[in-house]
Amino acid sequence: MGFALLNGEIIERSEAKVDVEDRGYQFGDGVYEVIRVYNGKLFTAAEHLKRFSKSAESIGISLQFSSKQLLEMVEELLKKNNLETGNIYMQVTRGIAPRNHVFPASNVTPTLVAYTIKSSRPIDNLKSGVKAILTEDIRWLRCDIKSLNLLGNLLAKQKASEKGCFEAIQHRGQDVTEGSSSNIFIVKDGTVITHESNNLILKGITKDVILDLCRKNNIPVIERTFSLTELDDADEVFLSSTTAEVMPVIEINGKIMKAGVPGKVTRKLQDLFQKEIEKQCGVLVS
Ligand code: DCS
């Protein structure tokens, strides 16, 4: 099972227990991050830790540790667990207090937890692409906060899974927002289009890396809302996340997209993304 980080201390993971009155357990009153590890090295760690602090701040949780301290602790954790390829999951809740919707007194310490998960890259899916369904986005209006409250996302993902699909692409009316755990991109006439980062979606770290790669490599890119019709008419569709990287989508709601195979721009972005990983974490063997 290895080790976990609990409030700044590295302990046996089996010893890391949650109190029944932890507000994360009772209310989902907290925020989280998932950071990818390749070759024993963290990918885009600074960006994830910055978003973690921002999410916490936006719901009034003050982290007991600076981003620098968090980075040191997380690096120590992955060394102790000998993690080569996988994820670091971290979350902070508002702490332990008698159940009450009102926030507890400020002397209640937030509960910070992190642990590691071994997980290889989704090579087969990256090569062949995945299927998705469409579903109405029923979530709240602060999807920019990486909140522990994920019921809307879970219901969407479960629906996709029951249809044998990898992801549920959510939409508010005619507007496509994002996947249940990913950002969605379309490519039309060579231009990459993805929802602008506002309160309706999570500002994905992978999304930002992709936008940057597009700009540096003269691939036209626009951040704007696009419709279900545009999704249906797209030349290529792909999704992005920390664990799914740049993932081609080849079928939506049972309808095979254009070629039924990953598109040219998607392939190019997959190559560029892999180079970016290798720049930060060293050569990938698989
Ligand atoms: N949108 C939602 C709703 C997400 O949950 C995620 C990632 C993303 C977009 C993509 O963001 P990143 O590029 O920063 O990963 N969800 C994480 C999760 O819950 N598991 O893995 C990634």
Side-chain angles (χ1 to χ4, degrees):
M1 259 233 306
F3 297 92
L5 187 72
L6 177 63
N7 296 329
E9 265 184 82
I10 292 186
I11 57 171
E12 288 283 343
R13 183 166 154 193
S14 56
E15 301 292 316
K17 294 275 191 331
V18 178
D19 190 288
V20 292
E21 283 193 321
D22 189 284
R23 293 178 63 91
Y25 181 60
Q26 294 192 325
F27 298 115
D29 186 4
V31 297
Y32 76 104
E33 272 301 325
V34 181
I35 312 177
R36 196 81 176 116
V37 175
Y38 301 100
N39 297 332
K41 294 194 183 69
L42 293 160
F43 180 62
T44 54
E47 290 82 350
H48 281 279
L49 292 173
K50 194 168 156 203
R51 186 173 66 185
F52 189 56
S53 304
K54 208 173 145 206
S55 291
E57 196 180 303
S58 69
I59 61 165
I61 291 180
S62 34
L63 290 174
Q64 328 77 302
F65 304 100
S66 66
S67 290
K68 188 168 170 269
Q69 286 171 315
L70 286 174
L71 181 63
E72 282 166 8
M73 293 189 297
V74 158
E75 277 181 335
E76 198 187 331
L77 179 70
L78 76 92
K79 267 198 209 100
K80 274 207 95 156
N81 284 340
N82 286 319
L83 185 70
E84 271 293 305
T85 304
N87 308 319
I88 295 208
Y89 177 82
M90 60 195 295
Q91 69 168 46
V92 64
T93 74
R94 206 179 302 276
I96 303 160
R99 188 179 183 281
N100 186 338
H101 286 54
V102 176
F103 293 176
S106 54
N107 60 357
V108 171
T109 326
T111 311
L112 177 75
V113 173
Y115 62 93
T116 60
I117 304 144
K118 249 178 99 167
S119 165
S120 48
R121 297 179 65 212
I123 299 290
D124 291 346
N125 282 342
L126 288 171
K127 280 189 186 139
S128 55
V130 296
K131 299 174 186 177
I133 58 156
L134 295 174
T135 191
E136 185 68 37
D137 193 339
I138 60 163
R139 301 172 304 157
W140 71 331
L141 296 174
R142 288 304 308 274
C143 297
D144 53 319
I145 301 172
K146 205 158 168 55
S147 157
L148 293 179
N149 277 283
L150 287 173
L151 266 181
N153 308 59
L154 305 190
L155 292 172
K157 184 72 101 187
Q158 180 60 22
K159 211 162 133 184
S161 171
E162 284 168 11
K163 293 253 157 70
C165 291
F166 179 86
E167 183 57 302
I169 300 176
Q170 302 173 103
H171 55 94
R172 290 189 189 268
Q174 284 305 301
D175 295 340
V176 174
T177 50
E178 64 176 341
S180 70
S181 63
S182 62
N183 293 114
I184 305 294
F185 296 71
I186 57 171
V187 182
K188 187 68 185 172
D189 299 329
T191 298
V192 175
I193 305 167
T194 188
H195 198 286
E196 66 271 32
S197 291
N198 61 14
N199 63 309
L200 299 180
I201 67 159
L202 183 76
K203 185 173 159 56
I205 305 297
T206 320
K207 173 188 186 223
D208 277 353
V209 171
I210 293 167
L211 293 180
D212 212 41
L213 289 172
C214 286
R215 288 177 188 130
K216 284 187 182 142
N217 291 279
N218 299 318
I219 301 171
V221 62
I222 315 175
E223 277 187 282
R224 68 158 173 84
T225 309
F226 58 90
S227 68
L228 284 173
T229 314
E230 287 183 278
L231 178 69
D232 192 48
D233 279 349
D235 299 327
E236 302 176 34
V237 180
F238 65 91
L239 57 82
S240 75
S241 82
T242 295
T243 51
E245 302 180 5
V246 178
M247 181 68 77
V249 177
I250 52 157
E251 191 182 307
I252 300 176
N253 267 4
K255 186 182 156 193
I256 293 173
M257 304 304 295
K258 289 268 153 69
V261 290
K264 217 172 72 191
V265 178
T266 308
R267 284 272 180 248
K268 171 87 184 153
L269 285 169
Q270 284 186 317
D271 284 350
L272 292 169
F273 192 77
Q274 173 145 345
K275 288 204 179 86
E276 190 57 39
I277 296 173
E278 293 184 335
K279 219 158 87 183
Q280 292 188 33
C281 305
V283 175
L284 294 171
V285 281
S286 59

